[in-house]
């Protein structure tokens, strides 16, 4: 039986090629994902580990837990603690570390590093071992700065150039006195690092006389753990926390691995979708292959082969196919992993250097996935073939599905579909987070149910295309009949395309609806013409608000400040605003009371009010971060949203209790409204600062739209793999269908149907099957998009379903294109069949 199975594989190489391709694509996606994420993760881990080479023990502020009505405040690492660390037995040296956001502009005035990777720090003394100098000398004073070699190369800076940078608002123009190398992970990821002398860094980054961390190196022969023990004895435990450099590197590696796991899981989900779609193709292929060899298998049974042996021979074929697909998929996956890494560099995402990582786990996963998926998909056709009685099979009495089996299938499909719809609808009545798991379960049940019912659905839906097909004469009529001749095969072929289009459509509906809702939220909640903020989301200097107030055409401004507090034993963040101006800058809907902010009068969003049991007129005691208490009164309760929420009180009330008052945003109203000239005027007033964003409501919406567009394009690209596999499925089905119907096609040619109409018949059959899958996929996608929107609506009151009809038409056109392209080779093959040879074929 083993030799027989191998002979069958070699005898049907062309027929099995599509199956190998389908499995190979899925395996390539899986192995490519693992190679890519493992390579990136390994490169970052090794890069970050180098960054701790100069650190034996790091002294950090002790993490303070909130207790009672006291707001936890991070202890400060002072110069005295630094000096004490340096004198500890076993310590060779101690370095004070200062770090914080520092926006560095390129020569065109644009921010380098995208905001979050733009960092600044201190250069210790005249020769800091952490940052070896390539050229120049250490910085001295506010007018000098060092920049990293990668940034200097990308931006074209050299020693002696003047650069524009900002820390929290004001623009500085220091001179580059040196260029250094670093293993900093942010720089490796495309960010920038600017270094000042220690005193300047402390002053600019708001840490005068203090440090973020103290790095201690051990003397020769002293272990990291021994040095840590000495530091623990010498330093106050309630202020400091010590960690060895080795532990820091391990923690960093774990953090990188965790952050990469999300990307890995996301990519593997799409690989799983491609494999799931490929399963239909494999099952289809083996069903047809087994059907073509019914007599052969019956003869094997007649000469003594058991049912188990027949099934085993089919599984051996599947094993060979799966092994070939797994090996080729692994090779292709390694290429995909290398290609993705190069693509990241092309797109400007810098990745640390490192070798391509192909782990034993990746190799095992590729082979297991290829073999297991193929054998599982081939098991049912093999088992079904083994159950056909030998006499019936040799007499070409093919066992068609009985009425009982069809009724059972349709009943099971209807039950799954009904359960899926019921669970999805029930999930839409739940809260956003609580309804996610039930909705996912309902979606899976519904897709399984529709898949089982697809043979039943194919007849009425394909019959609906009959009026259009009549226009193509005999070819159109034959195409419709061929499409419903074997409903199960048609269903399996169409389902592959259905799944891909379901996901694409659902995501498109959700993204479009979210974008519309955010636009609506911005226009309904904000009256301000502009919102000013830092590029990385950090806080602004209070000087920004002062400069904006003094700008011509500005009629009202309000800085928004965040400050922690303790209320009823819980931490609550207060939002400081300009009480006299905030009403002119926002358009929040009040549930009760009046929108009055000033003195001890505050307004509260509905969620916060509900959690504390407050209403208009309620009073409560707030414990500020400086330890002082104050009685405040709720004057109004407003409907909060993603842009505006929390407890709003006047800055004049809040600021005296803040040790370092900074603004998260500044809202601006102008006499001329939002315009290009007004925006230019505001930017110039702020010194054309690369670190500061001046955004209108449209700019905010466009930023979010850009994010959604990028996300959708990535998802479209990933789901394209499933569509490609679906195309292979249609080609496979048509090619084998043409082979099965060779005699029939020969007879059609003999009675007068020309080659042109034979090709048209096959093309129309492919088009009908693809459009059938497209209609089902788009319908399910819209339903899932609506259902997911109901969950989002519980957290976003402005959410409103938007069905992008134009894109739906494009998706339907995509399904039609798939059908046309997939039919090219099978139609050509059908048209070229020799009439007499086809009639004589069995």
């Amino acid at each position: 039986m083993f030799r027989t199975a191998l002979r069958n594989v070699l005898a049907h190489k062309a027929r099995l090629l599509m199956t190998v391709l389908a499995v190979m694509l899925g395996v390539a996606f899986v192995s490519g994902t693992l190679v890519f994420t493992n390579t990136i993760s390994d490169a970052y881990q090794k890069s970050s580990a180098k960054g701790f080479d100069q650190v034996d023990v790091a002294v950090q502020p002790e993490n303070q837990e909130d207790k009672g009505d006291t707001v936890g405040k991070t202890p400060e690492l002072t110069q005295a603690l630094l000096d004490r660390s340096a004198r500890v037995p076993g310590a060779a040296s101690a370095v004070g570390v200062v770090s914080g956001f520092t926006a560095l502009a390129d020569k065109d005035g644009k921010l380098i590093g995208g905001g979050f990777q733009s960092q600044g720090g201190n250069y210790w003394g005249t020769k800091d071992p952490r940052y070896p100098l390539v050229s120049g000398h250490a910085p001295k004073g506010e007018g000098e700065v060092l920049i990293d070699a990668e940034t200097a190369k990308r931006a074209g800076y050299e020693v002696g150039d003047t650069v524009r940078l900002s820390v929290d608002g004001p623009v500085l123009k220091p001179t580059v006195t040196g260029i250094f190398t670093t293993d900093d992970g942010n720089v490796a990821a495309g960010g920038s690092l600017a270094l000042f002398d220690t005193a300047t860094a402390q002053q600019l980054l708001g840490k005068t006389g203090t440090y973020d961390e103290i790095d201690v190196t051990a003397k020769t022969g002293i272990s990291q753990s021994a040095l840590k023990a000495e530091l623990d004895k010498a330093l106050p435990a309630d202020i400091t926390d010590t960690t060895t450099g080795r532990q820091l590197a391990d923690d960093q590696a774990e953090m990188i691995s965790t952050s990469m796991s999300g990307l890995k899981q996301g990519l593997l989900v799409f690989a799983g979708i491609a494999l799931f779609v490929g399963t239909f193709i494999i099952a289809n292929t083996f069903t047809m292959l087994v059907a073509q060899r019914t007599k052969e298998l019956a003869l094997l049974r007649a000469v003594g082969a058991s049912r188990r042996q027949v099934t085993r021979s089919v599984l051996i074929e599947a094993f060979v196919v799966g092994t070939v697909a797994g090996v080729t998929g692994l090779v292709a996956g390694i290429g995909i992993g290398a290609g993705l890494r190069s693509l990241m560099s092309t797109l400007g995402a810098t990745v640390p250097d490192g070798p391509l990582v192909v782990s034993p786990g990746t190799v095992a996963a590729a082979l297991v996935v290829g073999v297991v998926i193929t054998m599982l998909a081939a098991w049912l056709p093999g088992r079904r073939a083994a159950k056909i009685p030998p006499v019936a099979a040799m007499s070409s009495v093919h066992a068609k599905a009985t009425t009982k089996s069809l009724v059972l299938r349709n009943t099971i499909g209807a039950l799954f579909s009904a359960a899926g719809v019921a669970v999805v609808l029930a999930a839409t009545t739940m809260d956003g987070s609580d309804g996610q798991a039930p909705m996912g379960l309902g979606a899976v049940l519904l897709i399984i149910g529709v898949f089982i019912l697809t043979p039943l659905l194919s007849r009425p839906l394909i019959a609906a295309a009959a009026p259009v097909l009549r226009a193509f004469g005999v070819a159109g009529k034959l195409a419709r009949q061929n499409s419903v001749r074997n409903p199960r095969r048609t269903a399996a072929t169409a389902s592959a395309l259905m799944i891909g289009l379901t996901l694409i459509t659902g995501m498109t509906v959700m993204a479009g609806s979210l974008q519309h809702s955010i636009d609506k939220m911005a226009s309904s909640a904000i009256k301000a013409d502009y919102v000013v903020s830092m590029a990385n989301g950090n806080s602004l200097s209070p000087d920004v608000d002062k400069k904006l107030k003094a700008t011509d055409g500005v009629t009202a401004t309000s800085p928004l400040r965040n400050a922690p507090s303790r209320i009823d034993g819980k931490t609550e963040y207060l939002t400081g605003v300009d009480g006299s101006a905030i009403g002119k800058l926002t358009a929040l809907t009040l549930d009760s009371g009046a929108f009055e902010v000033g003195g001890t009068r505050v307004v509260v969003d509905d969620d916060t009010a509900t959690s504390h049991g407050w209403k208009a007129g309620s009073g409560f005691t707030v414990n500020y971060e400086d330890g002082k208490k104050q009685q405040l009164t709720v004057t109004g309760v407003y409907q909060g949203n993603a842009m505006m929420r929390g407890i709003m009180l006047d800055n004049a009330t809040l600021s005296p209790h803040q040790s370092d008052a900074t603004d998260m945003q500044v809202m601006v109203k102008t006499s001329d409204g939002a315009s290009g000239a007004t925006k230019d005027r505001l930017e110039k007033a702020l010194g054309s600062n690369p670190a500061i964003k001046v955004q209108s409501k449209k700019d905010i919406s466009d930023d979010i739209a850009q994010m959604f567009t990028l996300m959708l394009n990535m998802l479209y690209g990933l789901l394209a793999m499933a569509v490609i596999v679906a195309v292979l499925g249609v080609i496979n089905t048509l090619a084998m269908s043409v082979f099965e119907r060779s005699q029939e096609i020969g007879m059609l040619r003999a009675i007068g149907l020309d080659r042109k109409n034979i090709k048209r018949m096959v093309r129309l059959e492919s088009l009908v099957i693809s459009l059938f899958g497209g209609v089902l996929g788009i319908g399910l996608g819209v339903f899932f998009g609506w259902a997911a929107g109901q969950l989002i609506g519980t957290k976003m009151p402005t959410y409103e379903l938007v069905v992008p009809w134009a894109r739906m038409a494009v998706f339907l056109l995509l399904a039609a294109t798939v059908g046309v392209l997939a039919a090219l080779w099978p139609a050509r093959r059908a048209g070229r069949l020799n009439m007499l040879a086809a009639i004589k074929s069995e």
Side-chain angles (χ1 to χ4, degrees):
M1 293 304 294
F2 180 74
R3 287 196 299 272
T4 302
L6 287 180
R7 180 186 61 78
N8 285 326
V9 171
L10 296 174
H12 304 106
K13 293 187 285 292
R15 300 184 210 171
L16 293 174
L17 177 62
M18 294 298 177
T19 305
V20 171
L21 282 174
V23 182
M24 186 200 76
L25 283 173
V27 173
F29 207 160
V30 171
S31 54
T33 294
L34 294 173
V35 169
F36 171 66
T37 52
N38 288 342
T39 297
I40 299 299
S41 179
D42 181 72
Y44 274 116
Q45 286 176 13
K46 288 180 178 176
S47 176
S48 65
K50 289 180 184 177
F52 296 109
D53 286 348
Q54 302 295 328
V55 182
D56 287 317
V57 179
V59 180
Q60 299 165 324
E62 172 68 18
N63 184 27
Q64 301 290 300
E65 298 289 339
D66 291 341
K67 298 177 181 179
D69 291 332
T70 303
V71 178
K73 188 175 181 181
T74 303
E76 294 180 336
L77 299 181
T78 61
Q79 184 65 37
L81 287 173
L82 174 63
D83 295 338
R84 193 186 304 182
S85 300
R87 293 193 298 267
V88 164
S93 64
V95 173
V97 178
V98 182
S99 62
F101 172 67
T102 301
L104 183 65
D106 59 20
K107 290 186 175 181
D108 295 325
K110 295 180 180 178
L111 179 65
I112 297 173
F116 291 96
Q117 291 86 26
S118 302
Q119 293 294 314
N122 66 312
Y123 188 84
W124 191 256
T126 57
K127 190 175 181 181
D128 192 330
R130 299 174 300 167
Y131 307 112
L133 285 174
V134 175
S135 59
H137 60 80
K140 295 177 183 178
E142 189 174 310
E144 297 184 352
V145 69
L146 302 181
I147 61 174
D148 67 89
E150 287 296 324
T151 298
K153 181 180 178 181
R154 287 196 297 266
Y157 284 129
E158 297 177 354
V159 174
D161 288 343
T162 299
V163 296
R164 292 168 55 83
L165 58 84
S166 172
V167 174
D168 61 357
V171 177
L172 304 174
K173 298 180 181 179
T175 300
V176 177
T177 63
I179 295 173
F180 63 91
T181 59
T182 178
D183 293 313
D184 187 281
N186 285 322
V187 173
S192 63
L193 180 60
L195 300 179
F196 310 91
D197 66 75
T198 299
T200 301
Q202 288 175 323
Q203 177 188 349
L204 291 176
L205 299 173
K207 297 157 187 175
T208 305
T210 64
Y211 302 96
D212 294 302
E213 182 176 299
I214 298 172
D215 292 343
V216 186
T217 55
K219 291 180 180 177
T220 304
I222 303 297
S223 68
Q224 291 186 352
S225 56
L227 179 58
K228 180 182 183 301
E230 292 294 337
L231 286 165
D232 287 338
K233 293 178 189 176
L235 301 177
D238 59 336
I239 295 178
T240 62
D241 183 26
T242 59
T243 311
T244 64
R246 189 178 299 105
Q247 184 62 49
L248 286 172
D250 291 344
D251 292 344
Q252 183 81 357
E254 185 177 351
M255 184 180 71
I256 291 170
S257 179
T258 302
S259 65
M260 292 300 295
S261 67
L263 174 64
K264 182 185 293 186
Q265 288 171 6
L267 291 172
L268 286 175
V269 165
F270 290 99
I273 293 168
L275 282 169
F276 184 58
V277 171
T279 303
F280 297 131
I281 299 171
I282 302 164
N284 244 6
T285 301
F286 276 93
T287 298
M288 288 184 278
L289 286 175
V290 169
Q292 291 166 14
R293 288 172 24 223
T294 302
K295 286 187 177 182
E296 177 187 325
L297 295 175
L299 184 60
L300 288 174
R301 290 285 314 282
V303 297
S306 66
R307 287 185 179 183
R308 184 176 296 177
Q309 285 178 310
V310 170
T311 304
R312 193 181 300 157
S313 72
V314 175
L315 290 179
I316 291 171
E317 289 182 51
F319 175 80
V320 173
V321 171
T323 303
V324 172
V327 172
T328 54
L330 174 62
V331 174
I334 294 171
I336 289 174
L340 285 173
R341 177 172 174 170
S342 299
L343 179 63
M344 287 186 69
S345 301
T346 304
L347 295 175
T350 307
V351 180
D353 292 330
L356 205 63
V357 178
V358 184
S359 67
T362 300
V363 176
L367 294 176
V368 169
V369 166
V371 172
V372 171
I373 292 292
T374 309
M375 291 185 71
L376 284 176
W379 175 75
L380 189 58
R383 183 172 175 272
R384 191 183 296 132
K387 291 173 68 176
I388 300 174
V391 175
M394 285 190 289
S395 302
S396 297
V397 181
H398 293 266
K400 295 184 178 179
T402 63
T403 303
K404 181 180 178 181
S405 69
L406 291 175
V407 169
L408 179 63
R409 176 181 180 127
N410 293 338
T411 302
I412 293 173
L415 290 174
F416 268 94
S417 299
V421 171
V423 174
V424 169
L425 292 177
T428 61
T429 64
M430 301 179 184
D431 183 68
S433 54
D434 295 336
Q436 289 177 3
M439 184 163 290
L441 174 63
V444 171
L445 291 174
L446 180 54
I447 288 177
I448 292 173
V450 171
F451 169 65
I452 296 173
L453 285 175
T454 307
L456 179 66
L457 297 172
S458 65
R459 289 188 178 276
L461 288 178
I462 291 176
V468 178
L469 292 174
R470 283 197 199 103
F472 296 95
V474 175
K477 183 179 179 180
L478 289 171
R480 184 181 66 80
Q481 292 174 347
N482 289 334
S483 300
V484 295
R485 175 185 292 185
N486 191 330
R488 292 188 178 187
R489 184 188 301 172
T490 297
T493 305
S495 295
L497 191 58
M498 177 192 78
I499 292 169
L501 284 179
T502 296
L503 295 169
I504 291 173
T505 304
M507 291 170 182
T508 302
V509 170
M510 285 177 58
S513 300
L514 276 170
Q515 179 59 46
H516 175 77
S517 304
I518 290 166
D519 290 345
K520 189 175 177 182
M521 182 191 300
S523 60
S524 63
I526 300 175
K527 285 183 184 176
D529 295 317
Y530 291 97
V531 175
V532 179
S533 61
M534 291 291 281
N536 70 330
N538 277 6
S539 55
L540 288 161
S541 166
D543 291 339
V544 171
D545 181 51
K546 295 175 184 176
K547 290 181 179 179
L548 290 170
K549 270 187 169 71
T551 304
D552 290 341
V554 173
T555 57
T557 68
S558 175
L560 273 63
R561 294 178 183 170
N562 281 351
S565 71
R566 297 287 286 179
I567 300 172
D568 297 337
K570 294 195 301 184
T571 297
E572 292 281 3
Y573 277 85
L574 308 173
T575 302
V577 297
D578 186 326
S580 61
I582 192 66
K584 305 172 188 176
L585 299 165
T586 58
L588 298 169
T589 303
L590 280 173
D591 286 343
S592 62
F595 200 90
E596 296 178 7
V597 179
T600 59
R601 302 185 307 280
V602 302
V603 292
V604 183
D605 72 286
D606 46 0
D607 287 343
T608 304
T610 301
S611 67
H612 288 279
W614 297 337
K615 58 184 179 180
S618 297
F620 62 92
T621 301
V622 61
N623 297 271
Y624 294 109
E625 59 182 311
D626 63 353
K628 295 182 180 179
K629 298 182 180 181
Q630 189 174 27
Q631 185 73 16
L632 301 177
T633 302
V634 178
T635 61
V637 177
Y638 66 92
Q639 293 180 10
N641 56 55
M643 295 187 174
M644 302 290 293
R645 64 176 58 192
I647 303 170
M648 289 189 197
L649 74 163
D650 194 63
N651 278 325
T653 304
L654 176 63
S655 298
H657 302 286
Q658 292 182 283
S659 57
D660 183 22
T662 55
D663 304 328
M664 296 305 296
Q665 295 178 339
V666 179
M667 303 178 77
V668 182
K669 187 77 174 173
T670 62
S671 56
D672 299 333
S675 67
T678 304
K679 184 175 181 179
D680 288 342
R681 189 162 63 245
L682 295 177
E683 289 178 341
K684 286 179 182 177
L686 297 173
S688 299
N689 195 320
I692 298 179
K693 295 191 296 185
V694 179
Q695 293 181 296
S696 64
K697 287 183 282 189
K698 186 177 184 306
D699 293 333
I700 294 172
S701 295
D702 288 347
D703 268 5
I704 296 169
Q706 187 177 8
M707 179 181 68
F708 281 132
T709 302
L710 178 63
M711 178 189 70
L712 270 180
N713 288 340
M714 289 177 62
L715 294 175
Y716 288 162
L718 292 170
L719 286 170
M721 182 69 72
V723 175
I724 291 171
V725 175
V727 172
L728 291 175
V730 179
I731 295 173
N732 214 13
T733 299
L734 290 173
M736 296 221 171
S737 179
V738 167
F739 180 84
E740 280 184 349
R741 303 202 313 259
S742 295
Q743 191 177 58
E744 177 186 316
I745 292 171
M747 289 297 295
L748 289 172
R749 288 289 315 283
I751 61 176
L753 199 66
D754 59 14
R755 292 179 186 270
K756 182 178 179 182
N757 276 298
I758 291 290
K759 291 179 181 179
R760 182 178 295 168
M761 176 187 72
V762 176
R763 284 196 292 264
L764 288 174
E765 181 182 346
S766 174
L767 185 63
V768 167
I769 292 173
S770 297
L771 285 175
F772 170 53
V775 168
L776 285 180
I778 291 172
L780 283 174
V782 171
F783 175 69
F784 290 140
W786 166 82
Q790 297 301 301
L791 286 185
I792 296 170
T794 62
K795 299 293 185 182
M796 185 183 288
T798 57
Y799 185 85
E800 182 181 332
L801 179 68
V802 175
V803 179
W805 296 108
R807 290 207 177 189
M808 300 298 102
V810 171
F811 295 156
L812 201 59
L813 182 61
L814 172 66
T817 305
V818 165
V820 172
L821 294 176
L824 291 177
W825 178 61
R828 183 169 176 270
R829 183 183 178 191
R832 295 179 63 185
L833 281 176
N834 181 281
M835 188 190 313
L836 296 177
I839 291 173
K840 289 192 296 181
S841 66
E842 294 186 4

